[in-house]
Amino acid sequence: MNRDTIIGFILIALVLIGFSWWNQPSQEEIEAYQHQQDSIAAVEKDKAVKQQMAEQERKDAAEAALKGDTTALFYSALNGENQQVVLENEKVQLTFDTKGGTITKAVVKGFADRNDSADVVLFEGDDQKMNFLLTGKNDNIETQDLFFTPSEVTKNSVTMTAQAANGGSIAFSYELGPDYMLHFALTTNGLAGQFNPTNTRMDIKWQSKARQQERGFTFENRYSTLTYKENGGGTHYLSETSEDTETLSEERLDWVAFKNQFFSAVLIAKDEFGTNSVLHSTPYEKGTGYLKDYEATLNTKFDPKGVEASEFEMYIGPNDFRKIKEVEEQSRFGRDLDLEQLVYLGWPLFRLINRWFTIYVFDWLTSWGFSMGIVIILITLLLKAITFPMVKKSYMSSAKMRVLKPKLEEATKQYDKPEDQMKKQQEMMALYSKYGVSPLSGCLPMLIQMPIWIAMFNFVPNAIQLRRESFLWIDDLSTYDPIIEWGTNIWGIGDHLSLTCILFCVSNILYSYMTMRQQKDQMVGQQAEQMKMMQWMMYLMPVMFFFMFNDYSSGLNFYYFISLFFSAAIMWTLRKTTNDEKLLAILEANYQKNKNNPQKKTGGLAARLEAMQKQAEELQKQRQNGYKK
């Protein structure tokens, strides 16, 4: 930049500064403009306030109209005194409030909570609301506004009745079964003239806050979700991690469940829930003491004449696969509810493995009185024993390729150019075939084991039997086992370090090292160079697992740690017990046998590579002929 250019820029800057100074408003103009803006803001604020007041008046008027209708018919039931009625058995304790006539507290006995209390309080007070809405000709009735009078009270049953001004009534009849099933019905008496005969549906508004019951908020939240089952269909659930709404305009539902990781409250209708159900779930932040806010707007059959009751059932208890199936048999509705779907066991293939293998083995080992940590070790040993033939077959395939490596390198050393790689692969496959070795036989058995790993990934976090069970240094196998904790949440790690997660990741690195070393010993030529990138990926994966599994249950991390430990031990044992010289002699015998049999055709992958090579050569010839023309 020369001197003239610099002077030019300075002059331009001085002109712009002078122009800006010359055109700046005076103090009087600034004050006038500010006054104008304040006046506009005041007008807009006044307008917004009036709109809010008008909207609130509209809502108040609508509510007053509804209240007025209820008041006209149930004047005496709008005032009363809150009383609590308790129904209980050896498994649960349910508290009902006379205001609204529904459950306000549910205690599941025999399961300690995260604060070491003897029982789990599933919900209490304003955490749970259930409102039944009946639309009449003139009067709209909401049960949450009414005071009910308890009668026929026993240890496991009660009738709640709200009296109408015309002598009619609305009544809830509750009966608690021997386990976790509550049967109840809503009936009307003497109110037939208040309802339109064609109005045969009632609305239900159910809300509940899911309390945090376990130590690990993130992990428990991941397995807590609003779940529902379609009539004649499958089970679905709302998002576990974000706010979610589902409007079911055509589907009819058998039940809706407000589900925690290990406990659920399930509402079941005898005549199903009709179409146009709206389900909503809102997650809470860590530290609030709650996981999610659940809401369900439902509708079901209602007899306006009061002849037939609207019947319901509620399962309030643990997400225990066996117990749920047992309690479901106590249902009086005579249909398959599939409540055991509350225990998530994975996608269909993995669910089959868990449903017909893992659960049975787990129950059998538990029946012997072993601790849950020993049960996990024994299950791991059993799975290793079952898969050992496949693992051995995979290892022996790798061992054969390892002892043949020098011969393959010598036979294919002339194919070192990049354009000769197809020929090199073809030659290697032909040699493998002559020696009786199938490279793919080492991959398939290992792939067969993957469903077992994934099945256990789904089974262990949902096994309530692991909850509050200790083993060695682990206080609770169902949640993380912190070796150190701190108050601040660090992204990707959280507020703790889990010891079993660290053991799992370290063992994964060591096992990956053994596996990569074994594969490297069998690679020929450029394959060994290509393995370097794969090697870094295999080492990076355990690091990624640390960030994924640090919040997971110590039982799952412990299973993976033990599984990798035994896998490494099996691989080491096979390596020490394999005689490479004898194995090579067997392969040489196969080679001589196939060499003396010229009629034997190359098959498998070698044949496919040979066909690909011929097609490539034919295509190359066609291109060359086309260029010549």
Side-chain angles (χ1 to χ4, degrees):
M1 183 179 294
N2 56 31
R3 183 182 63 181
D4 294 338
T5 303
I6 295 174
I7 294 172
F9 276 121
I10 293 174
L11 291 175
I12 292 173
L14 290 174
V15 170
L16 291 175
I17 294 171
F19 183 79
S20 300
W21 177 82
W22 180 263
N23 285 276
Q24 67 180 352
S26 65
Q27 185 64 30
E28 291 79 7
E29 290 175 329
I30 294 174
E31 292 177 355
Y33 177 77
Q34 186 63 43
H35 179 72
Q36 180 184 12
Q37 294 300 312
D38 292 342
S39 300
I40 294 173
V43 171
E44 292 294 332
K45 182 177 180 181
D46 183 63
K47 182 179 178 181
V49 170
K50 289 181 178 180
Q51 288 178 344
Q52 292 177 358
M53 292 177 62
E55 180 65 20
Q56 188 61 43
E57 288 176 359
R58 185 190 65 78
K59 292 182 179 179
D60 292 342
E63 292 180 3
L66 185 59
K67 296 289 184 180
D69 292 340
T70 304
T71 302
L73 186 60
F74 285 90
Y75 178 82
S76 60
L78 288 173
N79 297 285
E81 183 179 350
N82 288 79
Q83 300 179 38
Q84 281 72 45
V85 177
V86 177
L87 305 184
E88 66 178 315
N89 55 30
E90 294 181 355
K91 303 296 180 63
V92 293
Q93 182 187 81
L94 305 178
T95 302
F96 299 80
D97 199 315
T98 55
K99 176 66 181 296
T102 56
I103 305 175
T104 57
K105 182 178 180 181
V107 177
V108 183
K109 299 181 180 180
F111 294 90
D113 67 6
R114 65 190 178 104
N115 298 317
D116 294 324
S117 297
D119 303 317
V120 166
V121 178
L122 205 56
F123 54 80
E124 183 177 15
D126 292 337
D127 290 353
Q128 155 84 7
K129 297 178 182 178
M130 187 177 292
N131 186 26
F132 295 81
L133 301 93
L134 309 176
T135 303
K137 294 178 181 178
N138 302 308
D139 299 343
N140 298 312
I141 305 167
E142 294 189 61
T143 59
Q144 68 179 3
D145 299 330
L146 307 178
F147 282 87
F148 290 76
T149 302
S151 62
E152 303 175 11
V153 180
T154 68
K155 186 176 181 180
N156 57 11
S157 65
V158 64
T159 299
M160 295 278 197
T161 306
Q163 294 293 334
N166 68 347
S169 64
I170 296 177
F172 288 108
S173 299
Y174 294 100
E175 182 182 351
L176 179 61
D179 286 303
Y180 302 100
M181 188 72 82
L182 174 70
H183 312 271
F184 71 100
L186 183 150
T187 57
T188 61
N189 181 37
L191 301 178
Q194 304 294 325
F195 303 108
N196 192 321
T198 61
N199 183 18
T200 58
R201 309 296 295 179
M202 77 160 69
D203 294 322
I204 305 167
K205 182 76 171 182
W206 185 25
Q207 299 173 280
S208 186
K209 295 179 181 179
R211 291 188 171 191
Q212 181 183 349
Q213 304 291 354
E214 314 304 326
R215 176 170 58 189
F217 173 87
T218 304
F219 189 65
E220 183 184 6
N221 205 28
R222 187 179 292 117
Y223 289 91
S224 301
T225 178
L226 193 157
T227 308
Y228 62 94
K229 181 185 178 298
E230 296 179 5
N231 179 247
T235 303
H236 309 278
Y237 54 89
L238 270 57
S239 173
E240 309 98 319
T241 57
S242 60
E243 185 173 358
D244 193 12
T245 300
E246 190 73 45
T247 301
L248 306 170
S249 56
E250 298 181 0
E251 297 84 354
R252 299 173 65 86
L253 306 180
D254 281 335
W255 48 262
V256 175
F258 292 170
K259 177 180 177 293
N260 284 53
Q261 181 182 6
F262 293 123
F263 303 93
S264 291
V266 188
L267 182 61
I268 310 161
K270 179 180 180 180
D271 298 292
E272 304 99 26
F273 296 113
T275 57
N276 299 313
S277 297
V278 180
L279 309 175
H280 185 78
S281 174
T282 305
Y284 282 99
E285 295 292 333
K286 184 176 182 179
T288 61
Y290 295 96
L291 303 169
K292 291 183 174 70
D293 190 354
Y294 295 135
E295 296 182 17
T297 302
L298 312 164
N299 67 85
T300 190
K301 180 180 178 181
F302 171 66
D303 181 10
K305 297 180 181 180
V307 177
E308 296 183 12
S310 298
E311 296 186 52
F312 305 89
E313 290 176 334
M314 287 191 74
Y315 175 86
I316 302 175
N319 300 329
D320 184 325
F321 189 90
R322 295 294 189 200
K323 177 56 68 174
I324 288 176
K325 287 189 67 68
E326 178 184 334
V327 174
E328 185 178 327
E329 296 178 359
Q330 301 171 18
S331 174
R332 300 172 182 176
F333 297 159
R335 66 177 190 271
D336 188 5
L337 297 172
D338 284 334
L339 287 176
E340 68 273 10
Q341 296 283 347
L342 288 169
V343 183
Y344 184 72
L345 298 177
W347 291 352
L349 172 62
F350 313 126
R351 183 174 182 83
L352 285 174
I353 295 174
N354 285 325
R355 173 68 181 85
W356 300 108
F357 174 78
T358 310
I359 290 178
Y360 279 98
V361 173
F362 191 85
D363 291 344
W364 175 64
L365 292 174
T366 304
S367 67
W368 286 84
F370 296 119
S371 69
M372 290 303 161
I374 298 298
V375 169
I376 291 176
I377 294 174
L378 293 176
I379 287 180
T380 307
L381 286 172
L382 179 60
L383 291 174
K384 292 301 177 184
I386 293 173
T387 58
F388 178 75
M390 294 182 290
V391 173
K392 184 177 181 180
K393 184 177 181 181
S394 175
Y395 174 81
M396 293 307 298
S397 176
S398 299
K400 291 175 182 178
M401 295 171 67
R402 183 183 70 248
V403 298
L404 287 176
K405 179 180 178 180
K407 294 184 176 294
L408 265 67
E409 288 180 336
E410 179 65 24
T412 61
K413 63 182 180 180
Q414 68 270 28
Y415 302 115
D416 285 339
K417 297 179 180 180
E419 60 269 19
D420 294 336
Q421 290 307 302
M422 180 67 75
K423 292 182 179 180
K424 185 173 185 176
Q425 290 293 328
Q426 183 179 344
E427 182 67 20
M428 287 172 58
M429 291 302 105
L431 288 172
Y432 280 139
S433 180
K434 291 178 180 180
Y435 280 104
V437 177
S438 174
L440 293 181
S441 64
C443 302
L444 185 60
M446 297 303 295
L447 291 177
I448 294 175
Q449 295 183 79
M450 289 304 296
I452 297 176
W453 267 60
I454 300 175
M456 292 299 290
F457 175 82
N458 290 296
F459 173 78
V460 174
N462 292 289
I464 194 173
Q465 292 84 353
L466 298 179
R467 185 178 184 271
R468 309 288 293 184
E469 291 291 330
S470 61
F471 182 68
L472 298 178
W473 70 88
I474 305 171
D475 294 330
D476 186 350
L477 286 165
S478 70
T479 187
Y480 61 82
D481 57 319
I483 189 175
I484 185 174
E485 293 183 277
W486 54 86
T488 305
N489 186 66
I490 300 177
W491 184 87
I493 299 178
D495 57 3
H496 65 274
L497 290 178
S498 174
L499 179 55
T500 51
C501 179
I502 295 173
L503 291 174
F504 161 48
C505 293
V506 171
S507 62
N508 203 348
I509 292 174
L510 295 176
Y511 182 73
S512 297
Y513 171 76
M514 294 178 65
T515 303
M516 296 300 296
R517 183 177 178 181
Q518 176 178 308
Q519 293 178 353
K520 186 178 180 180
D521 290 343
Q522 68 191 40
M523 296 299 176
V524 178
Q526 292 187 356
Q527 291 180 338
E529 295 296 324
Q530 295 172 356
M531 280 299 297
K532 291 182 179 180
M533 180 61 69
M534 181 66 70
Q535 181 176 355
W536 283 109
M537 292 178 61
M538 292 295 290
Y539 290 150
L540 183 62
M541 190 173 296
V543 178
M544 296 174 59
F545 281 160
F546 169 76
F547 294 102
M548 292 173 56
F549 285 82
N550 191 45
D551 272 322
Y552 270 66
S553 71
S554 55
L556 182 64
N557 282 320
F558 183 70
Y559 163 74
Y560 283 148
F561 165 65
I562 293 298
S563 180
L564 286 169
F565 174 80
F566 285 127
S567 294
I570 290 171
M571 184 182 297
W572 182 84
T573 303
L574 289 173
R575 181 69 179 89
K576 290 297 182 181
T577 56
T578 301
N579 189 315
D580 289 357
E581 294 181 358
K582 290 184 179 180
L583 182 60
L584 182 59
I586 294 173
L587 296 176
E588 289 289 357
N590 290 338
Y591 180 81
Q592 293 300 325
K593 180 180 178 181
N594 292 329
K595 183 178 180 181
N596 297 327
N597 183 15
Q599 302 298 323
K600 180 178 174 61
K601 295 182 178 181
T602 302
L605 182 59
R608 289 193 291 272
L609 285 172
E610 184 177 355
M612 291 172 60
Q613 175 67 19
K614 290 181 179 180
Q615 291 177 0
E617 292 175 353
E618 184 65 26
L619 181 62
Q620 184 68 22
K621 289 180 181 180
Q622 292 177 2
R623 289 178 178 175
Q624 291 176 354
N625 293 333
Y627 293 148
K628 291 178 180 180
K629 293 179 180 180

